[in-house]
Amino acid sequence: MQASGKNAGLGLALVSAFAFGGSGVAAKPLIEAGLDPLHMVWLRVAGAALVLSPLAWRHRDLLLRRPALLAGFGLVAVAGVQAFYFASLSRIPVGVALLLEYLGPALLLGYIRFVQRKPVTRGAAAGAAVAVVGLACVVEIWAGLSLDLLGVLFGLAAACCQAFYFVFADQGSDGEDAPDPLGVIAYGMLIGALVMTVIARPWEIDWAVLGGDASVGGTLVPAPALLGWVVLVATVFAYVTGVVSVRRLSPQVAGVVAFLEAVVATVLAWILLGEHLSTWQIAGGALVLGGAFIAQSSRPAPQAAAEPVPVDREPTKAPL
């Protein structure tokens, strides 16, 4: 039973990675057709919030139990990651934007070491170093940052938000009274949608774009179909299968499998959007993924356990 549960969890993690990886190739044609990146984010998050609203009602006690966790998850792990990622891919290739975002686990190690002041293993530090070298190759820094600099900065901002996603996820899983992750996701989407409503101003959306077609590698596809894929498959389905896979696997294994998202996104962008990467960028992407794999697989060295207080082993006499 345990082996079958792990196999099912691995399958769900792979499905989740493929679903997440398809978000960029569906969203970018809508952005290129005239949809503002922030409006794309709002449509994705608000659509997912609407679909997940029954789960939010079911876990409404979380509003009183974990308000700070829900606020942080919604503001940073949902709104922050999505806004910066879509802003990044609107200026640079999908694969590069996603690879930059996946520096998050490496940045998380810096947070653990220098902010939380907890020890980090040598393997984790080596993984972070490999990822930084890979980043230099991805942006071809020797060519004077040939990629759009603002797009690269947006990608790094998405990585910072992703790092804090792991922080919030770790806080939410501690203790016996840990909140249901599905409830956290549902409220994260709701809070993220509220925040993005203020930022994106959806009343200015060019709805005519959504009523027409968008070009995917030269093929016209109905815009509503692309939006439906982004909301239902690349957001709701991807988050739910990802969360269930973490419950069946360890977060470490599920996190490593999730890095396939970047590979899937790069391959799909290559096939569907014709975004060809240079040899150095492909090699750099492999280094970023390899470094992130090492970093995510490593864990801080355990703290030394406190010395047990010596006790008198002589049997005590009961009072007369």
Side-chain angles (χ1 to χ4, degrees), residues 121-184:
T121 63
R122 292 183 179 179
V130 170
V132 170
V133 173
L135 172 61
C137 295
V138 169
V139 302
E140 295 181 337
I141 195 170
W142 55 85
L145 289 175
S146 59
L147 290 175
D148 185 276
L149 179 58
L150 189 56
V152 171
L153 292 177
F154 282 145
L156 291 175
C160 292
C161 292
Q162 190 198 55
F164 277 99
Y165 160 79
F166 289 106
V167 174
F168 287 124
D170 182 62
Q171 290 178 348
S173 62
D174 290 340
E176 297 180 356
D177 191 31
D180 190 307
L182 292 178
V184 174

Short mmCIF file of all heavy atoms in Angstrom, two decimals, residues 121-184:
data_model
loop_
_atom_site.label_atom_id
_atom_site.label_comp_id
_atom_site.label_asym_id
_atom_site.label_seq_id
_atom_site.Cartn_x
_atom_site.Cartn_y
_atom_site.Cartn_z
N THR A 121 23.85 22.91 4.55
CA THR A 121 24.84 21.91 4.17
C THR A 121 25.71 22.40 3.02
O THR A 121 25.33 23.29 2.26
CB THR A 121 24.14 20.61 3.74
OG1 THR A 121 23.35 20.87 2.58
CG2 THR A 121 23.24 20.07 4.85
N ARG A 122 26.89 21.78 2.89
CA ARG A 122 27.79 22.15 1.79
C ARG A 122 27.18 21.85 0.44
O ARG A 122 27.37 22.58 -0.53
CB ARG A 122 29.12 21.40 1.95
CG ARG A 122 29.93 21.83 3.16
CD ARG A 122 31.26 21.09 3.21
NE ARG A 122 32.07 21.52 4.35
CZ ARG A 122 33.27 21.02 4.64
NH1 ARG A 122 33.78 20.06 3.86
NH2 ARG A 122 33.94 21.47 5.68
N GLY A 123 26.43 20.74 0.37
CA GLY A 123 25.77 20.40 -0.88
C GLY A 123 24.79 21.47 -1.31
O GLY A 123 24.68 21.79 -2.50
N ALA A 124 24.06 22.02 -0.35
CA ALA A 124 23.10 23.08 -0.68
C ALA A 124 23.81 24.33 -1.17
O ALA A 124 23.38 24.97 -2.13
CB ALA A 124 22.25 23.40 0.55
N ALA A 125 24.91 24.69 -0.51
CA ALA A 125 25.68 25.86 -0.94
C ALA A 125 26.25 25.65 -2.34
O ALA A 125 26.26 26.56 -3.17
CB ALA A 125 26.80 26.14 0.06
N ALA A 126 26.73 24.42 -2.61
CA ALA A 126 27.26 24.12 -3.94
C ALA A 126 26.16 24.24 -4.99
O ALA A 126 26.39 24.74 -6.10
CB ALA A 126 27.86 22.71 -3.96
N GLY A 127 24.95 23.79 -4.65
CA GLY A 127 23.85 23.89 -5.58
C GLY A 127 23.53 25.34 -5.91
O GLY A 127 23.25 25.68 -7.07
N ALA A 128 23.56 26.21 -4.91
CA ALA A 128 23.31 27.63 -5.14
C ALA A 128 24.37 28.22 -6.06
O ALA A 128 24.06 29.02 -6.95
CB ALA A 128 23.27 28.37 -3.81
N ALA A 129 25.64 27.83 -5.84
CA ALA A 129 26.72 28.35 -6.67
C ALA A 129 26.56 27.91 -8.13
O ALA A 129 26.74 28.70 -9.07
CB ALA A 129 28.07 27.88 -6.13
N VAL A 130 26.19 26.63 -8.33
CA VAL A 130 25.97 26.12 -9.68
C VAL A 130 24.84 26.89 -10.36
O VAL A 130 24.90 27.24 -11.54
CB VAL A 130 25.66 24.61 -9.64
CG1 VAL A 130 25.20 24.11 -11.00
CG2 VAL A 130 26.89 23.83 -9.19
N ALA A 131 23.76 27.17 -9.60
CA ALA A 131 22.62 27.89 -10.16
C ALA A 131 23.01 29.30 -10.58
O ALA A 131 22.54 29.81 -11.61
CB ALA A 131 21.48 27.93 -9.16
N VAL A 132 23.85 29.96 -9.80
CA VAL A 132 24.28 31.32 -10.14
C VAL A 132 25.11 31.31 -11.43
O VAL A 132 24.96 32.17 -12.30
CB VAL A 132 25.08 31.93 -8.98
CG1 VAL A 132 25.75 33.23 -9.40
CG2 VAL A 132 24.17 32.17 -7.78
N VAL A 133 26.02 30.31 -11.55
CA VAL A 133 26.80 30.19 -12.79
C VAL A 133 25.87 29.95 -13.97
O VAL A 133 26.04 30.53 -15.05
CB VAL A 133 27.82 29.04 -12.66
CG1 VAL A 133 28.53 28.79 -13.99
CG2 VAL A 133 28.85 29.37 -11.58
N GLY A 134 24.87 29.09 -13.76
CA GLY A 134 23.92 28.83 -14.82
C GLY A 134 23.17 30.08 -15.23
O GLY A 134 22.90 30.32 -16.41
N LEU A 135 22.81 30.90 -14.24
CA LEU A 135 22.11 32.15 -14.53
C LEU A 135 22.96 33.06 -15.40
O LEU A 135 22.47 33.69 -16.34
CB LEU A 135 21.74 32.86 -13.22
CG LEU A 135 21.17 34.27 -13.35
CD1 LEU A 135 19.87 34.23 -14.15
CD2 LEU A 135 20.95 34.88 -11.98
N ALA A 136 24.27 33.12 -15.11
CA ALA A 136 25.17 33.94 -15.91
C ALA A 136 25.18 33.49 -17.36
O ALA A 136 25.25 34.30 -18.29
CB ALA A 136 26.58 33.90 -15.32
N CYS A 137 25.08 32.16 -17.56
CA CYS A 137 25.04 31.64 -18.93
C CYS A 137 23.70 31.94 -19.60
O CYS A 137 23.65 32.26 -20.78
CB CYS A 137 25.29 30.13 -18.92
SG CYS A 137 26.93 29.63 -18.36
N VAL A 138 22.61 31.83 -18.83
CA VAL A 138 21.29 32.06 -19.39
C VAL A 138 21.17 33.49 -19.92
O VAL A 138 20.65 33.73 -21.01
CB VAL A 138 20.19 31.78 -18.34
CG1 VAL A 138 18.83 32.29 -18.81
CG2 VAL A 138 20.11 30.29 -18.05
N VAL A 139 21.66 34.46 -19.15
CA VAL A 139 21.56 35.86 -19.57
C VAL A 139 22.72 36.29 -20.46
O VAL A 139 22.76 37.41 -20.93
CB VAL A 139 21.48 36.80 -18.34
CG1 VAL A 139 20.30 36.44 -17.47
CG2 VAL A 139 22.76 36.75 -17.51
N GLU A 140 23.67 35.33 -20.70
CA GLU A 140 24.85 35.63 -21.51
C GLU A 140 25.49 36.94 -21.08
O GLU A 140 25.62 37.90 -21.84
CB GLU A 140 24.47 35.67 -23.00
CG GLU A 140 24.00 34.33 -23.53
CD GLU A 140 23.65 34.36 -25.01
OE1 GLU A 140 23.35 35.45 -25.53
OE2 GLU A 140 23.68 33.29 -25.65
N ILE A 141 25.90 36.96 -19.81
CA ILE A 141 26.38 38.19 -19.21
C ILE A 141 27.63 38.73 -19.91
O ILE A 141 27.89 39.94 -19.89
CB ILE A 141 26.64 37.95 -17.71
CG1 ILE A 141 26.78 39.28 -16.97
CG2 ILE A 141 27.83 37.02 -17.50
CD1 ILE A 141 26.80 39.14 -15.46
N TRP A 142 28.40 37.85 -20.55
CA TRP A 142 29.61 38.30 -21.25
C TRP A 142 29.27 39.11 -22.50
O TRP A 142 30.10 39.80 -23.04
CB TRP A 142 30.45 37.08 -21.64
CG TRP A 142 29.67 36.08 -22.46
CD1 TRP A 142 29.47 36.08 -23.80
CD2 TRP A 142 28.96 34.96 -21.94
NE1 TRP A 142 28.69 35.03 -24.17
CE2 TRP A 142 28.37 34.30 -23.05
CE3 TRP A 142 28.78 34.43 -20.67
CZ2 TRP A 142 27.59 33.16 -22.92
CZ3 TRP A 142 28.01 33.28 -20.53
CH2 TRP A 142 27.43 32.66 -21.64
N ALA A 143 28.01 39.02 -22.94
CA ALA A 143 27.59 39.78 -24.12
C ALA A 143 26.90 41.08 -23.74
O ALA A 143 26.23 41.69 -24.55
CB ALA A 143 26.66 38.93 -24.98
N GLY A 144 27.07 41.49 -22.46
CA GLY A 144 26.47 42.74 -22.02
C GLY A 144 24.99 42.64 -21.78
O GLY A 144 24.25 43.55 -22.12
N LEU A 145 24.58 41.49 -21.22
CA LEU A 145 23.16 41.27 -20.94
C LEU A 145 22.32 41.47 -22.21
O LEU A 145 21.53 42.39 -22.33
CB LEU A 145 22.66 42.20 -19.82
CG LEU A 145 23.17 41.89 -18.41
CD1 LEU A 145 22.70 42.97 -17.45
CD2 LEU A 145 22.69 40.54 -17.95
N SER A 146 22.54 40.53 -23.15
CA SER A 146 21.84 40.65 -24.43
C SER A 146 20.33 40.49 -24.28
O SER A 146 19.58 40.96 -25.11
CB SER A 146 22.37 39.60 -25.42
OG SER A 146 22.19 38.29 -24.90
N LEU A 147 19.90 39.81 -23.21
CA LEU A 147 18.47 39.71 -22.95
C LEU A 147 17.96 41.03 -22.40
O LEU A 147 18.72 41.86 -21.90
CB LEU A 147 18.19 38.59 -21.95
CG LEU A 147 18.39 37.15 -22.44
CD1 LEU A 147 18.18 36.18 -21.30
CD2 LEU A 147 17.45 36.84 -23.59
N ASP A 148 16.66 41.22 -22.48
CA ASP A 148 16.04 42.42 -21.94
C ASP A 148 16.29 42.50 -20.44
O ASP A 148 15.89 41.60 -19.68
CB ASP A 148 14.54 42.37 -22.22
CG ASP A 148 13.84 43.64 -21.79
OD1 ASP A 148 13.49 43.75 -20.61
OD2 ASP A 148 13.63 44.51 -22.64
N LEU A 149 16.97 43.55 -19.98
CA LEU A 149 17.38 43.64 -18.58
C LEU A 149 16.17 43.70 -17.65
O LEU A 149 16.16 43.04 -16.60
CB LEU A 149 18.25 44.89 -18.36
CG LEU A 149 18.73 45.14 -16.92
CD1 LEU A 149 19.52 43.95 -16.41
CD2 LEU A 149 19.57 46.41 -16.85
N LEU A 150 15.14 44.46 -18.04
CA LEU A 150 13.97 44.56 -17.19
C LEU A 150 13.27 43.20 -17.08
O LEU A 150 12.78 42.81 -16.01
CB LEU A 150 13.00 45.61 -17.75
CG LEU A 150 11.81 45.98 -16.87
CD1 LEU A 150 12.27 46.46 -15.49
CD2 LEU A 150 10.94 47.04 -17.54
N GLY A 151 13.24 42.45 -18.17
CA GLY A 151 12.66 41.11 -18.13
C GLY A 151 13.42 40.19 -17.20
O GLY A 151 12.82 39.39 -16.46
N VAL A 152 14.77 40.30 -17.20
CA VAL A 152 15.59 39.51 -16.29
C VAL A 152 15.30 39.89 -14.83
O VAL A 152 15.17 39.03 -13.95
CB VAL A 152 17.08 39.69 -16.61
CG1 VAL A 152 17.96 39.04 -15.54
CG2 VAL A 152 17.40 39.10 -17.97
N LEU A 153 15.18 41.19 -14.56
CA LEU A 153 14.90 41.64 -13.18
C LEU A 153 13.52 41.16 -12.72
O LEU A 153 13.36 40.77 -11.56
CB LEU A 153 14.99 43.17 -13.12
CG LEU A 153 16.38 43.76 -13.32
CD1 LEU A 153 16.31 45.29 -13.29
CD2 LEU A 153 17.35 43.26 -12.24
N PHE A 154 12.55 41.18 -13.62
CA PHE A 154 11.23 40.65 -13.26
C PHE A 154 11.33 39.16 -12.92
O PHE A 154 10.68 38.68 -11.99
CB PHE A 154 10.25 40.85 -14.42
CG PHE A 154 9.73 42.25 -14.54
CD1 PHE A 154 9.46 42.81 -15.79
CD2 PHE A 154 9.49 43.03 -13.41
CE1 PHE A 154 8.97 44.09 -15.91
CE2 PHE A 154 9.00 44.33 -13.52
CZ PHE A 154 8.74 44.86 -14.77
N GLY A 155 12.14 38.43 -13.69
CA GLY A 155 12.32 37.01 -13.41
C GLY A 155 12.96 36.77 -12.06
O GLY A 155 12.58 35.85 -11.33
N LEU A 156 13.94 37.59 -11.69
CA LEU A 156 14.58 37.46 -10.39
C LEU A 156 13.61 37.81 -9.26
O LEU A 156 13.64 37.21 -8.18
CB LEU A 156 15.82 38.36 -10.33
CG LEU A 156 16.99 37.94 -11.22
CD1 LEU A 156 18.11 38.98 -11.15
CD2 LEU A 156 17.52 36.57 -10.81
N ALA A 157 12.75 38.80 -9.50
CA ALA A 157 11.74 39.14 -8.50
C ALA A 157 10.78 37.97 -8.29
O ALA A 157 10.37 37.66 -7.16
CB ALA A 157 10.98 40.39 -8.92
N ALA A 158 10.42 37.28 -9.38
CA ALA A 158 9.59 36.09 -9.26
C ALA A 158 10.29 35.01 -8.45
O ALA A 158 9.66 34.29 -7.66
CB ALA A 158 9.22 35.56 -10.64
N ALA A 159 11.62 34.90 -8.62
CA ALA A 159 12.39 33.93 -7.84
C ALA A 159 12.35 34.25 -6.35
O ALA A 159 12.22 33.35 -5.51
CB ALA A 159 13.84 33.90 -8.33
N CYS A 160 12.45 35.53 -6.01
CA CYS A 160 12.37 35.93 -4.60
C CYS A 160 11.01 35.56 -4.01
O CYS A 160 10.92 35.04 -2.89
CB CYS A 160 12.61 37.43 -4.46
SG CYS A 160 14.30 37.96 -4.85
N CYS A 161 9.96 35.81 -4.77
CA CYS A 161 8.61 35.46 -4.29
C CYS A 161 8.46 33.95 -4.15
O CYS A 161 7.83 33.46 -3.21
CB CYS A 161 7.55 36.01 -5.24
SG CYS A 161 7.43 37.81 -5.25
N GLN A 162 9.07 33.21 -5.08
CA GLN A 162 8.99 31.76 -4.98
C GLN A 162 9.73 31.25 -3.76
O GLN A 162 9.29 30.30 -3.10
CB GLN A 162 9.57 31.10 -6.24
CG GLN A 162 9.29 29.60 -6.30
CD GLN A 162 10.19 28.88 -7.27
OE1 GLN A 162 11.41 28.97 -7.18
NE2 GLN A 162 9.60 28.17 -8.21
N ALA A 163 10.85 31.89 -3.42
CA ALA A 163 11.58 31.50 -2.21
C ALA A 163 10.70 31.67 -0.97
O ALA A 163 10.67 30.81 -0.08
CB ALA A 163 12.86 32.33 -2.08
N PHE A 164 9.97 32.77 -0.91
CA PHE A 164 9.09 32.99 0.23
C PHE A 164 7.87 32.07 0.19
O PHE A 164 7.25 31.82 1.23
CB PHE A 164 8.66 34.45 0.32
CG PHE A 164 9.67 35.32 1.00
CD1 PHE A 164 10.56 36.08 0.26
CD2 PHE A 164 9.76 35.33 2.38
CE1 PHE A 164 11.51 36.87 0.90
CE2 PHE A 164 10.70 36.11 3.02
CZ PHE A 164 11.59 36.88 2.28
N TYR A 165 7.54 31.54 -0.98
CA TYR A 165 6.50 30.53 -1.04
C TYR A 165 6.90 29.33 -0.20
O TYR A 165 6.09 28.78 0.56
CB TYR A 165 6.26 30.10 -2.49
CG TYR A 165 5.57 28.77 -2.62
CD1 TYR A 165 4.20 28.65 -2.43
CD2 TYR A 165 6.30 27.61 -2.90
CE1 TYR A 165 3.56 27.43 -2.52
CE2 TYR A 165 5.68 26.39 -2.99
CZ TYR A 165 4.31 26.30 -2.80
OH TYR A 165 3.70 25.08 -2.89
N PHE A 166 8.17 28.89 -0.32
CA PHE A 166 8.63 27.76 0.47
C PHE A 166 8.63 28.10 1.96
O PHE A 166 8.36 27.26 2.81
CB PHE A 166 10.04 27.35 0.04
CG PHE A 166 10.08 26.70 -1.32
CD1 PHE A 166 10.56 27.38 -2.42
CD2 PHE A 166 9.62 25.40 -1.49
CE1 PHE A 166 10.60 26.78 -3.66
CE2 PHE A 166 9.65 24.79 -2.73
CZ PHE A 166 10.14 25.49 -3.83
N VAL A 167 8.97 29.35 2.30
CA VAL A 167 8.96 29.77 3.70
C VAL A 167 7.55 29.67 4.27
O VAL A 167 7.33 29.10 5.34
CB VAL A 167 9.50 31.21 3.84
CG1 VAL A 167 9.35 31.69 5.28
CG2 VAL A 167 10.97 31.28 3.41
N PHE A 168 6.57 30.22 3.55
CA PHE A 168 5.19 30.17 4.02
C PHE A 168 4.68 28.74 4.06
O PHE A 168 3.94 28.36 4.97
CB PHE A 168 4.29 31.02 3.12
CG PHE A 168 4.48 32.50 3.31
CD1 PHE A 168 4.80 33.32 2.24
CD2 PHE A 168 4.32 33.08 4.56
CE1 PHE A 168 4.98 34.68 2.41
CE2 PHE A 168 4.50 34.45 4.74
CZ PHE A 168 4.83 35.24 3.66
N ALA A 169 5.04 27.93 3.06
CA ALA A 169 4.59 26.54 3.05
C ALA A 169 5.15 25.78 4.24
O ALA A 169 4.46 24.96 4.85
CB ALA A 169 5.01 25.87 1.74
N ASP A 170 6.40 26.05 4.60
CA ASP A 170 7.00 25.38 5.75
C ASP A 170 6.34 25.79 7.05
O ASP A 170 6.07 24.97 7.93
CB ASP A 170 8.50 25.70 5.81
CG ASP A 170 9.19 24.99 6.96
OD1 ASP A 170 9.20 23.75 6.96
OD2 ASP A 170 9.71 25.68 7.86
N GLN A 171 6.02 27.09 7.17
CA GLN A 171 5.34 27.55 8.38
C GLN A 171 3.95 26.93 8.49
O GLN A 171 3.50 26.58 9.56
CB GLN A 171 5.22 29.08 8.35
CG GLN A 171 6.53 29.81 8.54
CD GLN A 171 6.37 31.31 8.46
OE1 GLN A 171 5.33 31.82 8.05
NE2 GLN A 171 7.40 32.03 8.84
N GLY A 172 3.29 26.79 7.37
CA GLY A 172 1.94 26.26 7.41
C GLY A 172 1.85 24.79 7.72
O GLY A 172 0.78 24.30 8.07
N SER A 173 2.98 24.06 7.60
CA SER A 173 2.93 22.63 7.82
C SER A 173 3.40 22.21 9.20
O SER A 173 3.40 21.03 9.52
CB SER A 173 3.79 21.91 6.76
OG SER A 173 5.15 22.32 6.88
N ASP A 174 3.83 23.17 10.00
CA ASP A 174 4.34 22.85 11.33
C ASP A 174 3.20 22.59 12.30
O ASP A 174 2.13 23.19 12.22
CB ASP A 174 5.22 23.99 11.87
CG ASP A 174 6.54 24.09 11.11
OD1 ASP A 174 6.91 23.09 10.47
OD2 ASP A 174 7.16 25.17 11.15
N GLY A 175 3.46 21.72 13.24
CA GLY A 175 2.53 21.52 14.34
C GLY A 175 1.41 20.55 14.01
O GLY A 175 1.18 20.17 12.86
N GLU A 176 0.73 20.14 15.05
CA GLU A 176 -0.38 19.20 14.87
C GLU A 176 -1.61 19.88 14.29
O GLU A 176 -2.47 19.23 13.72
CB GLU A 176 -0.73 18.57 16.22
CG GLU A 176 0.41 17.74 16.83
CD GLU A 176 0.01 17.15 18.17
OE1 GLU A 176 -1.12 17.44 18.63
OE2 GLU A 176 0.81 16.39 18.74
N ASP A 177 -1.69 21.20 14.43
CA ASP A 177 -2.86 21.94 13.96
C ASP A 177 -2.58 22.56 12.59
O ASP A 177 -3.01 23.68 12.31
CB ASP A 177 -3.23 23.02 14.99
CG ASP A 177 -4.59 23.63 14.69
OD1 ASP A 177 -5.45 22.91 14.15
OD2 ASP A 177 -4.78 24.82 14.98
N ALA A 178 -1.84 21.84 11.75
CA ALA A 178 -1.48 22.36 10.43
C ALA A 178 -2.74 22.53 9.57
O ALA A 178 -3.60 21.66 9.55
CB ALA A 178 -0.51 21.42 9.73
N PRO A 179 -2.86 23.66 8.87
CA PRO A 179 -4.05 23.90 8.04
C PRO A 179 -4.05 23.00 6.81
O PRO A 179 -3.00 22.60 6.31
CB PRO A 179 -3.91 25.37 7.66
CG PRO A 179 -2.44 25.63 7.69
CD PRO A 179 -1.90 24.78 8.81
N ASP A 180 -5.23 22.70 6.31
CA ASP A 180 -5.36 21.92 5.10
C ASP A 180 -4.76 22.72 3.94
O ASP A 180 -5.16 23.86 3.71
CB ASP A 180 -6.83 21.62 4.83
CG ASP A 180 -7.02 20.61 3.71
OD1 ASP A 180 -6.46 20.82 2.62
OD2 ASP A 180 -7.73 19.61 3.95
N PRO A 181 -3.80 22.16 3.19
CA PRO A 181 -3.16 22.93 2.12
C PRO A 181 -4.12 23.35 1.03
O PRO A 181 -3.92 24.38 0.39
CB PRO A 181 -2.09 21.96 1.59
CG PRO A 181 -2.52 20.61 2.06
CD PRO A 181 -3.21 20.81 3.34
N LEU A 182 -5.18 22.57 0.80
CA LEU A 182 -6.16 22.98 -0.21
C LEU A 182 -6.87 24.26 0.20
O LEU A 182 -7.16 25.12 -0.62
CB LEU A 182 -7.17 21.85 -0.43
CG LEU A 182 -6.63 20.58 -1.09
CD1 LEU A 182 -7.73 19.54 -1.20
CD2 LEU A 182 -6.05 20.88 -2.46
N GLY A 183 -7.14 24.38 1.52
CA GLY A 183 -7.76 25.61 2.00
C GLY A 183 -6.82 26.79 1.88
O GLY A 183 -7.24 27.91 1.53
N VAL A 184 -5.53 26.56 2.15
CA VAL A 184 -4.53 27.63 2.02
C VAL A 184 -4.45 28.10 0.56
O VAL A 184 -4.39 29.29 0.28
CB VAL A 184 -3.16 27.17 2.53
CG1 VAL A 184 -2.09 28.22 2.25
CG2 VAL A 184 -3.22 26.85 4.01
#
